[in-house]
Amino acid sequence: MKIPISNTLLFRVHSKVHEHNYSTTVNSNLKTWFDKYFEKTNVFSWNELIAELARGGDSLESLRAFSSMRKLNLKPNRFTFPCTIKACSAVLDLHSGKQAHQQALVFGFESDFFVSSALIDMYSKCGRLNDAKILFDEIPQRSIVSWTSMITGYVQNGNAHEALLLFKEFLIEESERNDEVFMDSVAMVSVLSACSRVPRAGVIEGIHGFVVKRGLDKDIGVENTLLDAYAKCGEMASSKNVFDGIINKDAVSWNSMIAVYAQNGLSSEAFQTFHGMIMDGDVKYNAFTLSSLLLACAHSGALRMGQCIHDQVIRLGFDDNVIVGTSIIDMYSKCGRVEMARKAFNGMQVKNVKSWTAMIAGYGMHGCAREALEVFYMMIKVGVKPNYITFISVLAACSHAGLLDEGRYWFNAMKHQFNVEPGVEHYGCMVDLLGRTGHLNEAYHMIKGMTAKPDFVLWGSLLAACRIHKNVELAEISAGELFELDPSNCGYYILLSNIYADAGRWKDVEKMRVLVQDRGLVKPPGFSLVELKGRVHVFLVGDKEHPECEKIYRFLDELYVKLQQAGYVPNMDSVLRDVDEEEKEMTLRVHSEKLAVAFGVINSFPGSRIHIIKNLRVCGDCHTVIKLISKIVDREIVVRDSKRFHHFKDGLCTCGDYW
């Protein structure tokens, strides 16, 4: 019954509700509803109030409304419990959820499929997956809502494999009934989310076929999740095909495709997609878009573009957004401007664990281990608990700077003080730290003592350390493991060959050369990037394709005269052994990073900083040459290789020749 309520009576209703420990700030829509419909002795009015508050995000107030209703001795009906239980889910209030479950039992509504589905969802969100499954198994006739709630629960709790098995069970049950149950888009989003976490060949393609068969392939939510699932399974082409097939792309569609490109290091493609988003005109970009573009800038080292996006972030008022702020820290760090990253970090009003971790990682990759640890200590002091990723960043910082005592301490402390179980990545940092500081046997025994199976990163770190310290015995053991774990990687064969050469074992060098040929292995081409006036220039070894190649080689020839005058002697260690000395020296001269540095010096203002990105580890000879060039041309040259950052200035490098 609709009963108009005057403002005076509305105030009395509010006062009465306050007596029952319920308070709320009523928005204009809810006030209008109060004015027209609310009757405090009518259960339907309370149901509407509980539902409206829950829909508006006021979950605590929704629960207080339910409590006030019960204190008035009003009997709830089957429509009362779903919204109440969903409010418990939203605030992860397991205690209130159990109480609502108990009352649903008392009033005989537990078997109602909306109530049971809400309970499954509540228990899943509160981390009580076993309780959710018990409820699900007890439902006499499951609806698609029940199936969806349980599948979603598995996905939310990291059990994607179980989610897919449950979906398979649903299909079997449907087949046995010989009746197609209506499968909605919400269910398919959950199933596709599970697919993205179980990257098995053919699974996602099979689900995609099911989606098309059921006519859900034009639902925007399903299309967006399908796009993301293909990308997470490494199927970039399929992801792009799904994106191209979306007729009415929304912000999620555009943002997802931009993020996919950015996360896979395809920065040109990310910016092109962003341009398409702007040209579309119907969709406005948001904080997530800018965060993804910042990630693309970080991958490509596009500092100028990153600064433009940072300016846009400030203009649009997104600088208080913690996700965007963290992306800005990451962008500046990976573009070689760690001091700008720290400035952005200091300016953040709200910092979460990812923000602190990004700053620690930024200092670490630049070899500023003491500064990284200083930020880490501040993080602990202000009460932010470090997580799994934080400790990877801390240990990596120790490894880059050779801080053995600190690395050992925090590796042990992470479990005993912070209850973070060490993973393969943490062991990888420690093996790298121990190996490069000469503790090869300790590094080897650490690998052998792991409960998890060591990956190629650990054995690769040990092999690289064996090259530094000329340990042939452990090198052969490491290489043997690597040949099984990553047999197509040519770099391991070359590294072992160089170790044999250092030891004068030329027959073994020849064996490695033959093995590489027989297996058809090819070393991945090294390339270097340099950004100039907003454009990224790419150089390969011996590159003759660049429009200014003649000018670059002429300048390099002039530099080499000055280098020799400064006492430079070529380091041949990184050149293949089966070429003569003159050819080795010529090969060294045209390494991609040397070409990029020469181009940067020629085309930038005197005194300006030059930024280079190398996809592989910078070789010893290039490292020596760039140090000398920085002194000859009086420039700071920043090189980001696959391991870390090198800041060259006045003939020195911040890595201290330790990388």
Side-chain angles (χ1 to χ4, degrees), residues 319-588:
D319 46 328
D320 286 336
N321 183 296
V322 69
I323 297 173
V324 175
T326 303
S327 298
I328 289 170
I329 294 168
D330 183 62
M331 182 274 294
Y332 278 124
S333 296
K334 289 179 179 172
C335 288
R337 292 295 185 91
V338 71
E339 73 283 356
M340 293 298 295
R342 183 58 186 267
K343 185 177 179 181
F345 175 79
N346 290 343
M348 291 180 69
Q349 298 299 312
V350 178
K351 302 180 182 74
N352 62 13
V353 64
K354 291 183 179 179
S355 314
W356 288 94
T357 300
M359 194 66 250
I360 294 166
Y363 274 131
M365 70 179 71
H366 285 269
C368 306
R370 295 297 177 190
E371 290 85 348
L373 290 175
E374 175 192 323
V375 174
F376 180 56
Y377 300 147
M378 286 171 55
M379 175 185 184
I380 296 171
K381 186 177 180 180
V382 299
V384 178
K385 185 182 177 183
N387 63 15
Y388 188 94
I389 306 298
T390 309
F391 281 107
I392 294 175
S393 301
V394 169
L395 294 174
C398 293
S399 176
H400 286 315
L403 301 182
L404 184 58
D405 291 339
E406 289 86 346
R408 280 175 173 153
Y409 176 82
W410 288 113
F411 180 76
N412 293 319
M414 62 182 287
K415 180 178 181 180
H416 298 115
Q417 292 184 29
F418 298 94
N419 200 31
V420 177
E421 194 71 33
V424 175
E425 299 91 342
H426 304 103
Y427 280 100
C429 293
M430 286 304 298
V431 167
D432 188 57
L433 174 56
L434 290 165
R436 290 201 290 156
T437 52
H439 297 77
L440 295 178
N441 287 326
E442 185 179 346
Y444 174 68
H445 289 302
M446 177 173 277
I447 293 175
K448 297 302 288 183
M450 289 173 58
T451 52
K453 184 180 179 181
D455 64 4
F456 65 90
V457 176
L458 279 100
W459 289 113
S461 296
L462 186 58
L463 181 61
C466 290
R467 170 77 193 278
I468 296 170
H469 299 286
K470 305 185 188 307
N471 189 319
V472 179
E473 182 183 355
L474 278 181
E476 290 178 324
I477 294 172
S478 304
E481 296 287 345
L482 287 164
F483 295 162
E484 290 186 13
L485 289 168
D486 194 10
S488 61
N489 191 320
C490 185
Y492 304 135
Y493 298 84
I494 294 173
L495 191 52
L496 182 59
S497 175
N498 288 336
I499 292 170
Y500 282 141
D502 289 338
R505 291 171 54 172
W506 301 109
K507 288 184 179 179
D508 289 318
V509 171
E510 180 61 20
K511 284 180 183 177
M512 284 295 105
R513 189 182 69 80
V514 172
L515 194 60
V516 168
Q517 287 182 341
D518 289 347
R519 295 186 178 182
L521 303 178
V522 180
K523 185 179 179 181
F527 64 82
S528 296
L529 311 175
V530 57
E531 184 192 23
L532 191 70
K533 298 176 182 177
R535 183 183 169 193
V536 176
H537 298 259
V538 183
F539 294 90
L540 299 173
V541 60
D543 205 327
K544 294 289 182 71
E545 298 297 321
H546 196 277
E548 297 186 29
C549 68
E550 289 185 11
K551 188 191 296 185
I552 292 168
Y553 281 95
R554 192 161 53 246
F555 181 68
L556 271 178
D557 287 339
E558 295 171 5
L559 275 178
Y560 266 93
V561 173
K562 296 177 182 178
L563 287 169
Q564 287 168 346
Q565 291 172 351
Y568 162 69
V569 177
N571 180 347
M572 308 292 191
D573 287 347
S574 56
V575 187
L576 292 174
R577 302 280 175 175
D578 55 353
V579 295
D580 61 37
E581 294 300 307
E582 185 178 352
E583 188 176 347
K584 286 180 182 179
E585 185 173 346
M586 291 307 298
T587 302
L588 284 174

Side-chain angles (χ1 to χ4, degrees), residues 164 167 188 191-192 195 202-212:
L164 291 178
F167 178 63
M188 288 318 306
V191 173
L192 287 168
C195 287
V203 173
I204 189 171
E205 289 82 359
I207 302 297
H208 190 175
F210 179 86
V211 165
V212 173

